Amino acid sequence: MVNQDDPRVLRTRQLIREAFRVLLQKKEFDAITIKDIAQRATINRATFYAHYEDKYALLEDITEQAFHKMFPEQVINAQEFTGEICNQLILLTHNYIVNFYQICRFDSKSIATLVDEKIKEMLQQMIESIFLKGDTSRMSEHHNAKIISAMTASAIYGAAHYWFMFRENDRTDLLVNIACPYVMNGLGLYRNCDE
Amino acid sequence: MVNQDDPRVLRTRQLIREAFRVLLQKKEFDAITIKDIAQRATINRATFYAHYEDKYALLEDITEQAFHKMFPEQVINAQEFTGEICNQLILLTHNYIVNFYQICRFDSKSIATLVDEKIKEMLQQMIESIFLKGDTSRMSEHHNAKIISAMTASAIYGAAHYWFMFRENDRTDLLVNIACPYVMNGLGLYRNCDE
DNA sequence: AGTGAAAAGTTGCTTACACAACAGATTTTG
DNA sequence: CAAAATCTGTTGTGTAAGCAACTTTTCACT
């Protein structure tokens, strides 16, 4: 609909996202109106709809942006899914969850499912892209790469989320000690079966 | 030419001013091009000319904004030109000059005259508006209010500037002790003659 | 002095945003 | 429950900003 590279578009979206982030700290998600967002962003309400279908689409967008910033170069450039990469993914996911509940008001948990799904989706994409880059295990030729990625992403997210809810957030070393071998073994089994 | 209240206009000017402030810390004024400003502000070069004739007009604008922020409520709402108000004006002018040379690169002094003039003009306007508000000395009916304001503004600016150039900037108490009586006496003499 | 490069301005056309007005949906209030 | 108020989502119109192309001016270089 609009040209994604137009500087006006970039600025407008930046304004909308920033306004939304501020509002999320002040109000719960359900209480935030499009009017609120438009006012704080100093844009017209009609302009909002030129960029986002509703506030849920906006939430997805900022979630994606925020989570994407968590990925270190090492992970983005990874050529193989090693234990070290697995560690990194577990830690950054846990880290994101901790931040999320610090930033968002606690009564905004109505949005948790949407955010969860988005994060799992991004984790899955990242993992799959690593699988496809390094084909040492010929994973790249395997038609099951997608479901393997989905399982791995879910496992990592599940571990990070559980640790956040029920364990000490300052002992992430224990988290990776448990979760990483589980994930790597699962993949290892798969590799063995494949050959 | 453009509607001053349009939010797009406000945002664009804000971007231009902010870009210019950043550039003034990095380059000397003469080395800053319109292209530089437009690039950093992420606006089109042609758009710049819709708002400012050239970079001198822009400099005037940000000088006015910055200096205006220096005025405390007490001065803005002053109903009479008292010794206390005089003190405030001397101090804030001195303060502005100190800040100016901290913010701008020292090799940007080619612009000093323009900034000086703008500040004196604003001081004069502020002083005149105070004169006209409080008519205890019937200054408001006097047709010489303008030249008296101009002299007072120049005297205050001159004192502040001299102190910045040749004296200790941390002993502003001495500055006001010297400058304030001079100004107030000058005005007092005038008042006596007038009645 | 003269040549090339970069910056300064200007212009016509396109796109994005502002704004007001609207109908329909949702929430608030008495 | 009904009336009032507010929010939502959309539309048409006017204006500001983006962009490319151009001429003119300024400046650096030999």
Side-chain angles (χ1 to χ4, degrees):
Chain A
M1 177 167 28
V2 293
N3 173 13
Q4 310 287 319
D5 297 327
D6 189 312
R8 290 172 292 185
V9 171
L10 296 175
R11 288 200 304 258
T12 299
R13 296 201 173 162
Q14 184 60 36
L15 285 170
I16 292 175
R17 284 190 296 260
E18 190 51 38
F20 192 53
R21 283 191 205 100
V22 173
L23 286 171
L24 271 176
Q25 298 179 350
K26 303 214 283 184
K27 292 185 176 185
E28 60 172 319
F29 179 80
D30 293 329
I32 298 174
T33 68
I34 308 294
K35 195 181 168 194
D36 288 337
I37 300 168
Q39 275 183 348
R40 179 161 290 268
T42 70
I43 59 133
N44 195 276
R45 198 165 52 83
T47 303
F48 176 91
Y49 293 103
H51 297 281
Y52 298 101
E53 192 177 343
D54 50 31
K55 61 181 178 177
Y56 296 94
L58 172 56
L59 178 63
E60 267 199 59
D61 190 22
I62 68 166
T63 302
E64 179 167 346
Q65 277 212 349
F67 193 59
H68 185 76
K69 279 188 193 152
M70 307 289 292
F71 290 113
E73 286 299 312
Q74 195 190 353
V75 170
I76 293 173
N77 299 326
Q79 298 297 316
E80 199 180 356
F81 193 84
T82 63
E84 175 56 24
I85 296 300
C86 184
N87 275 3
Q88 297 264 7
L89 289 176
I90 294 166
L91 287 174
L92 73 85
T93 303
H94 180 264
N95 212 350
Y96 179 84
I97 295 172
V98 173
N99 285 346
F100 174 78
Y101 281 98
Q102 276 177 354
I103 290 170
C104 283
R105 288 170 55 97
F106 213 71
D107 49 3
S108 286
K109 36 191 178 206
S110 63
I111 63 177
T113 4
L114 197 149
V115 174
D116 288 0
E117 287 303 318
K118 189 74 197 169
I119 289 175
K120 269 188 261 184
E121 175 194 324
M122 290 182 69
L123 265 180
Q124 180 183 340
Q125 280 173 2
M126 176 57 70
I127 291 168
E128 190 182 345
S129 86
I130 297 176
F131 282 161
L132 297 183
K133 274 190 285 185
D135 55 356
T136 50
S137 60
R138 289 195 294 284
M139 177 77 82
S140 54
E141 298 153 15
H142 204 283
H143 62 288
N144 281 341
K146 274 209 156 37
I147 189 170
I148 308 286
S149 306
M151 283 194 302
T152 310
S154 290
I156 289 176
Y157 181 81
H161 188 260
Y162 170 83
W163 205 261
F164 169 73
M165 295 295 280
F166 306 115
R167 297 299 193 93
E168 322 101 293
N169 286 325
D170 49 348
R171 292 303 303 274
T172 50
D173 52 324
L174 296 178
L175 165 62
V176 292
N177 281 346
I178 299 167
C180 187
Y182 172 89
V183 171
M184 295 308 288
N185 266 337
L187 290 174
L189 278 172
Y190 170 78
R191 281 174 183 155
N192 292 341
C193 295
D194 191 40
E195 310 190 33
Chain B
M1 179 167 25
V2 292
N3 174 12
Q4 311 286 318
D5 297 327
D6 190 313
R8 292 172 291 185
V9 171
L10 296 175
R11 288 199 305 257
T12 298
R13 295 200 173 162
Q14 184 60 36
L15 285 169
I16 292 174
R17 283 191 297 259
E18 190 51 37
F20 192 53
R21 284 190 205 100
V22 173
L23 285 171
L24 271 177
Q25 297 179 348
K26 302 214 283 183
K27 292 185 178 187
E28 61 172 317
F29 178 79
D30 294 327
I32 298 173
T33 67
I34 309 296
K35 197 181 166 194
D36 289 338
I37 299 168
Q39 277 183 347
R40 180 161 288 268
T42 69
I43 59 133
N44 195 276
R45 198 164 53 84
T47 304
F48 177 91
Y49 293 104
H51 298 280
Y52 297 102
E53 191 177 342
D54 50 30
K55 60 182 180 178
Y56 297 94
L58 172 56
L59 178 65
E60 266 198 61
D61 190 21
I62 68 166
T63 302
E64 180 167 346
Q65 278 213 348
F67 194 60
H68 186 76
K69 280 187 192 150
M70 306 288 293
F71 290 112
E73 286 298 311
Q74 193 189 358
V75 170
I76 294 173
N77 300 326
Q79 299 296 316
E80 197 179 357
F81 193 87
T82 63
E84 175 56 24
I85 294 300
C86 183
N87 275 3
Q88 298 263 8
L89 288 176
I90 294 166
L91 287 174
L92 72 86
T93 302
H94 180 264
N95 213 350
Y96 179 85
I97 295 172
V98 173
N99 286 345
F100 174 78
Y101 281 98
Q102 276 176 352
I103 290 170
C104 283
R105 289 169 53 96
F106 214 71
D107 50 2
S108 287
K109 34 189 185 211
S110 63
I111 62 177
T113 6
L114 197 149
V115 174
D116 287 3
E117 287 303 318
K118 190 72 196 171
I119 290 176
K120 269 188 260 184
E121 176 195 322
M122 291 182 68
L123 264 179
Q124 181 183 339
Q125 280 174 2
M126 177 56 71
I127 292 167
E128 191 182 343
S129 85
I130 297 175
F131 281 162
L132 297 183
K133 274 189 286 187
D135 56 352
T136 49
S137 59
R138 289 196 294 284
M139 176 75 81
S140 54
E141 296 154 17
H142 205 282
H143 62 287
N144 282 340
K146 273 212 158 34
I147 189 169
I148 308 285
S149 305
M151 284 194 301
T152 309
S154 291
I156 289 176
Y157 181 82
H161 188 260
Y162 170 83
W163 206 261
F164 168 73
M165 295 295 279
F166 307 114
R167 296 301 193 93
E168 323 101 293
N169 286 325
D170 49 345
R171 292 303 303 275
T172 50
D173 54 324
L174 296 177
L175 164 63
V176 293
N177 281 346
I178 299 168
C180 187
Y182 173 90
V183 171
M184 295 308 288
N185 264 337
L187 291 173
L189 278 171
Y190 169 79
R191 280 172 181 157
N192 292 339
C193 294
D194 189 41
E195 310 189 33

